[in-house]
């Protein structure tokens, strides 16, 4: 069985080791996929180990994990999910190098080492973009006056807003990005990143402590809008950001960022799929892009997102899904 640690049970690696820092890492498909990918990529005798931390864990838990990875010679790096903002906030002074996107986003999704130096990367802005492009047609925003509605203001929401709002996209940008969250600090962080990116795309935020509040926000979105669950509800915690009375915009493109768990939001969208002419996708493609980009960074190899090499890895993952 693959090994899983908590912050207080970490042990020095005996072989080259790659870590997955999350909440319920033992349930992820990556535990079956990674050994197959490692063999296919010729990564050698490398082990994957999970590190489970509670949601919004104490700062000293994050610091203990980062200090361990930094000091342990055979610990090569890690993918960080769920804890991207909290881990960065708690341990940013421990990183020897921080990439520009991590500084802008105030988050870290990948830890790697070069010449003994621990490096922090924000991969989500790129991987979220690749996943969005997989289901949003080219020119969609230029041809349709639609919004992007994101439930949750964590790292994934920040990445999505940044990617779709970039001025280099020209006119192919949403009319407005609307983000909701149950608490204010995440919204303030997202707005600070949005403002720092110097985009003229409008950002609207709503404090929505209850699912019924999100129903109201979604009801105002134009037909054809993009509706995204970036809360973690359904995977890291039970439930959905919506009630069962929430009505999706007609012809909406609906994205559940997760691919595993009790995905209530996904079920809610699929229940309206035919009646509302929805396009509904889960987080599987996002999962593959996220992992391949981090593996490429940690192991210093090239895995282009649109390439035969990526397609081969996607096929391997699909075979054990």
């Amino acid at each position: 069985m693959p090994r899983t640690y908590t912050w207080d049970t970490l042990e020095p690696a005996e072989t080259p080791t790659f870590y997955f820092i999350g909440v319920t890492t033992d349930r992820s498909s990556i535990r079956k996929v990674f050994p197959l990918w490692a063999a296919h990529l010729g990564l050698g005798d490398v082990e994957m180990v999970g590190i489970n931390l509670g949601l919004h864990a104490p700062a000293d838990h994050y610091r203990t994990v980062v200090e361990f990875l930094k000091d342990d010679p055979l610990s090569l790096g890690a993918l960080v999910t769920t804890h991207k903002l909290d881990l960065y906030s708690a341990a940013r002074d421990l990183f020897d190098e921080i990439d520009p996107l991590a500084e802008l986003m105030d988050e870290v999704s990948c830890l790697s080492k070069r010449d003994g130096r621990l490096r922090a990367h924000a991969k989500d802005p790129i991987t979220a973009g690749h996943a969005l492009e997989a289901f949003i047609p080219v020119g969609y925003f230029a041809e349709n006056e639609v919004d992007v509605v994101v439930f949750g203001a964590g790292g994934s929401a920040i990445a999505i807003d940044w990617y779709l709002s970039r001025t280099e996209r020209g006119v192919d940008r949403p009319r407005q990005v609307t983000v909701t969250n149950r608490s204010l600090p995440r919204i303030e962080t997202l707005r600070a990143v949005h403002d720092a990116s110097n985009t003229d795309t409008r950002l609207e935020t709503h404090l929505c402590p209850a699912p019924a509040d999100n129903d109201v926000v979604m009801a105002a979105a134009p037909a054809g809008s993009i509706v995204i669950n970036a809360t973690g509800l359904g995977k890291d915690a039970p439930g959905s950001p919506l009630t069962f009375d929430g009505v999706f915009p007609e012809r909406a493109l609906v994205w559940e960022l997760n691919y595993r768990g009790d995905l209530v939001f996904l079920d809610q969208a699929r229940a309206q799929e035919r009646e509302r002419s929805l396009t509904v996708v889960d987080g599987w493609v996002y999962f593959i892009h996220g992992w391949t980009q981090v593996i490429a960074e940690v192991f210093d190899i090239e895995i282009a997102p649109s390439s035969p090499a990526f397609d081969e890895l996607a096929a391997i993952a699909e075979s054990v899904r």
Side-chain angles (χ1 to χ4, degrees):
M1 286 288 293
R3 287 188 295 152
T4 303
Y5 292 134
T6 56
W7 71 276
D8 55 348
T9 62
L10 297 165
E11 297 178 359
E14 297 180 358
T15 60
T17 302
F18 175 47
Y19 295 86
F20 173 18
I21 302 172
V23 178
T24 55
T25 61
D26 50 317
R27 300 179 191 173
S28 175
S29 292
I30 197 62
R31 306 305 287 267
K32 295 183 291 185
V33 171
F34 180 76
L36 302 178
W37 279 358
H40 180 77
L41 294 168
L43 300 183
D45 183 21
V46 61
E47 182 182 6
M48 163 169 278
V49 172
I51 301 176
N52 288 347
L53 296 165
L55 287 171
H56 308 306
D60 64 300
H61 294 192
Y62 293 118
R63 291 185 66 84
T64 297
V65 170
V66 172
E67 288 170 344
F68 167 78
L69 294 176
K70 183 173 184 175
D71 296 337
D72 188 58
L74 291 176
S75 293
L76 307 180
L79 179 142
V80 183
T81 183
T82 304
H83 305 288
K84 293 178 286 232
L85 293 170
D86 291 330
L87 187 145
Y88 184 81
S89 175
R92 71 178 70 192
D93 61 299
L94 299 175
F95 304 125
D96 299 308
E97 298 177 23
I98 301 173
D99 77 17
L101 280 177
E103 289 186 336
L104 174 64
M105 305 283 167
D106 274 337
E107 67 162 58
V108 57
S109 56
C110 171
L111 302 176
S112 70
K113 288 180 178 178
R114 291 291 184 276
D115 301 321
R117 295 174 62 80
L118 183 64
R119 309 187 305 165
H121 316 266
K123 296 294 184 182
D124 257 19
I126 307 305
T127 58
H130 295 323
L132 287 162
E133 289 170 353
F135 70 90
I136 300 177
V138 175
Y140 186 77
F141 297 111
E143 298 167 4
N144 302 276
E145 290 193 1
V146 297
D147 295 351
V148 174
V149 179
V150 186
F151 303 122
S156 296
I158 293 172
I160 290 165
D161 172 61
W162 176 85
Y163 188 87
L164 293 178
S165 299
R166 292 173 302 139
T167 55
E168 52 263 48
R169 291 179 61 89
V171 297
D172 194 20
R173 288 183 285 161
R175 187 193 71 158
Q176 173 177 290
V177 176
T178 301
V179 181
T180 76
N181 202 61
R182 292 186 294 186
S183 60
L184 191 58
R186 292 289 202 228
I187 290 176
E188 293 173 338
T189 298
L190 181 141
R191 181 164 290 283
V193 175
H194 181 90
D195 292 344
S197 64
N198 296 317
T199 179
D200 58 358
T201 297
R202 187 162 68 246
L203 173 66
E204 184 173 297
T205 59
H206 296 269
L207 187 62
C208 293
D213 301 323
N214 287 321
D215 291 354
V216 173
V217 172
M218 185 171 69
S225 291
I226 318 295
V227 181
I228 302 171
N229 176 25
T231 64
L233 291 174
K235 179 176 78 76
D236 297 325
S240 165
L242 301 173
T243 75
F244 283 90
D245 294 324
V247 178
F248 288 87
E250 289 189 355
R251 303 186 308 281
L253 308 184
V254 183
W255 186 22
E256 163 60 76
L257 261 63
N258 300 307
Y259 73 92
R260 65 179 175 92
D262 184 19
L263 303 180
V264 178
F265 175 87
L266 192 66
D267 293 339
Q268 291 169 327
R270 285 177 173 160
Q272 299 181 37
E273 189 169 7
R274 179 172 296 181
E275 178 186 356
R276 306 292 292 174
S277 299
L278 308 178
T279 298
V280 182
V281 295
D282 67 9
W284 183 248
V285 171
Y286 187 34
F287 164 84
I288 295 174
H289 279 298
W291 277 101
T292 53
Q293 288 297 303
V294 171
I295 288 169
E297 187 69 61
V298 171
F299 293 94
D300 198 16
I301 57 177
E302 180 70 25
I303 306 175
S306 298
S307 65
F310 176 85
D311 293 341
E312 290 170 0
L313 294 173
I316 291 169
E318 187 65 36
S319 72
V320 295
R321 185 177 182 181

